[in-house]
Amino acid sequence: MGPRDGTLALEEDRGTVTGTLNILSHELPIRGSRQADGCLRLAHQIITAVGEYPCCSVLWDTDGILSGELQMDQSETRWGCSKYQKSTVMPWSGERLEEMEATHK
């Protein structure tokens, strides 16, 4: 499948993270949390031409650069997966485009 451009929009409230991942013409919900070491651990899906896959992403924000990895669970697929490889790991990278502070009324 290879690298794809997308947009990740996140909101954080007391360590709980929610948002959307816009990629491959899909708007996918994201949920997760900020860990004690500062990384974001996110649960979401990826939808491709051949299927829908649950994913876990771990991301770090370093000076406005977001990086990390996505682990895609392929244990239920009939292609591209063997008894030795049940998941695919792909790198994440991007930059922070905008940060907005939430206002609570």
Side-chain angles (χ1 to χ4, degrees):
M1 203 167 95
R4 297 290 189 255
D5 288 336
T7 304
L8 179 63
L10 300 174
E11 293 182 24
E12 183 176 357
D13 184 22
R14 291 173 255 190
T16 299
V17 177
T18 58
T20 56
L21 172 61
N22 291 298
I23 192 166
L24 299 171
S25 301
H26 297 284
E27 185 173 306
L28 306 166
I30 297 265
R31 66 187 184 291
S33 61
R34 184 169 301 274
Q35 305 297 293
D37 64 359
C39 78
L40 299 173
R41 181 170 295 278
L42 307 173
H44 56 94
Q45 294 180 323
I46 292 290
I47 298 173
T48 70
V50 294
E52 187 172 321
Y53 305 97
C55 299
C56 176
S57 290
V58 179
L59 305 174
W60 293 269
D61 184 359
T62 307
D63 299 325
I65 302 296
L66 196 62
S67 62
E69 65 181 29
L70 172 145
Q71 183 173 359
M72 182 169 62
D73 181 358
Q74 293 179 293
S75 60
E76 299 297 318
T77 64
R78 295 177 186 219
W79 61 271
C81 188
S82 72
K83 66 179 181 178
Y84 304 108
Q85 180 181 347
K86 301 295 183 198
S87 66
T88 298
V89 177
M90 295 178 273
W92 272 94
S93 65
E95 61 184 276
R96 183 184 305 165
L97 297 177
E98 183 177 338
E99 184 170 340
M100 298 170 31
E101 293 215 17
T103 56
H104 298 281
K105 295 181 180 183

